[in-house]
Amino acid sequence: MNQPASPSCAAAAPQRFALIPAAGVGARMGAKIPKQYMTLAGKPMLHHALETFAAHPRIARTFVVVSAGDGWIDELLTPELAQRISVLRVGGATRQESVLNGLNEMRAAATVGDDDWVLVHDAARPGLNAELIDRLLDTLAEDAVGGLLALPVVDTLKRGDDAQRSQETVSRAGLWAAQTPQMFRYALLQRALGEAAAQGRIGAITDDASAIEMLGLQPRLVEGSPRNLKVTLAQDAALAEFFLKG
Ligand code: CTP
Ligand code: MG
């Protein structure tokens, strides 16, 4: 006869981890140092996202992926931050390789379950705040796939040719601009990125959700915020500072 499951048999509530790829060189920014270490509103850019995650009570631990020869990260981690953050020196050639290496390495540094959530967040998005993290966690808590912060596209879109002439107006209906964090179960994300790498497709994708889509799954789109912009070009820094100081 079947016994009802006792509470001790019930699956433990999943933990939530943050994983921050910060192993890029910032080529498009064209600064002397990698852009994640440029000063923005009085602190290195990476410091903003690290502090936000380290201070968030629902995030069990934060992992930051840097390149093997990174000489800046140790200076940036105060003793207080270092208690909540693990540095993984396993940066790869592309963002997705850095994320996959970080996922593989996380398990050596902490007890991470297959069903635990991982929030992957760009070091280059300093405007993330606790409210946006909570919105993502709350919306996806019971989601079978996971999802990401994103913004509905509001501009009129044109497809240009090589001569920079507009060929057509592209409908923006249903289009969203992807942000981060992108939040998926540990084992699912590791499998998705692992398969993309095995198929030689990891270089062609620019976010984590793309790898999940390649498995035939549909990540949930959760409304993000303009303040969560990615700092890519020199002119983005001033706007990011505006939001950080506001
Ligand atoms: N990233 C990474 N490993 C790489 C490339 C990028 O961890 N090999 C990280 C960056 O540090 C950044 C995030 O992925 O936090 C988003 O990438 P992007 O904005 O493209 O940063 P960069 O690759 O550094 O910039 P660029 O493409 O202009 O060189
Ligand atoms: Mg890049």
Side-chain angles (χ1 to χ4, degrees):
M1 200 175 118
N2 285 341
Q3 296 289 322
S6 72
S8 62
C9 293
Q15 304 185 90
R16 306 171 201 91
F17 296 101
L19 178 61
I20 303 185
V25 296
R28 287 171 289 177
M29 177 65 63
K32 288 200 183 78
I33 58 171
K35 65 179 178 185
Q36 59 272 29
Y37 294 112
M38 281 171 39
T39 300
L40 220 53
K43 291 182 235 177
M45 192 189 308
L46 172 59
H47 202 142
H48 293 280
L50 288 179
E51 262 186 349
T52 300
F53 280 113
H56 200 292
R58 298 167 78 184
I59 302 295
R61 185 155 201 86
T62 297
F63 298 88
V64 57
V65 178
V66 299
S67 55
D70 186 297
W72 292 278
I73 187 70
D74 293 323
E75 276 174 50
L76 181 149
L77 285 190
T78 59
E80 197 189 3
L81 279 183
Q83 286 182 4
R84 304 261 298 140
I85 295 168
S86 300
V87 177
L88 308 175
R89 295 183 173 274
V90 294
T94 64
R95 178 191 183 278
Q96 275 53 248
E97 286 173 71
S98 294
V99 172
L100 180 56
N101 293 349
L103 286 172
N104 293 336
E105 204 66 20
M106 271 170 72
R107 278 201 159 153
T111 306
V112 182
D114 280 354
D115 290 335
D116 286 345
W117 291 107
V118 182
L119 283 74
V120 183
H121 181 67
D122 293 330
R125 293 184 186 274
L128 182 70
N129 59 20
E131 185 192 333
L132 289 167
I133 294 173
D134 282 330
R135 188 183 302 170
L136 191 67
L137 295 179
D138 292 342
T139 309
L140 299 179
E142 307 294 330
D143 202 281
V145 177
L148 60 146
L149 293 182
L151 274 184
V153 171
V154 294
D155 295 321
T156 296
L157 299 177
K158 303 290 185 188
R159 190 183 313 282
D161 65 9
D162 292 346
Q164 219 169 302
R165 295 216 163 254
S166 177
Q167 299 305 295
E168 60 170 336
T169 301
V170 181
S171 170
R172 66 171 170 254
L175 292 187
W176 295 66
Q179 298 189 333
T180 69
Q182 304 204 348
M183 170 173 161
F184 298 101
R185 306 272 184 183
Y186 178 87
L188 177 67
L189 183 57
Q190 191 185 41
R191 178 160 73 90
L193 289 170
E195 287 185 14
Q199 294 165 9
R201 296 167 80 182
I202 199 163
I205 57 176
T206 55
D207 73 349
D208 316 291
S210 312
I212 302 290
E213 291 154 12
M214 283 164 57
L215 297 178
L217 299 171
Q218 285 144 11
R220 173 86 180 260
L221 296 161
V222 180
E223 186 154 350
S225 164
R227 66 167 287 127
N228 190 30
L229 79 158
K230 183 155 75 75
V231 180
T232 306
L233 306 170
Q235 63 258 35
D236 301 330
L239 186 57
E241 282 199 313
F242 168 82
F243 284 116
L244 290 167
K245 289 175 175 170

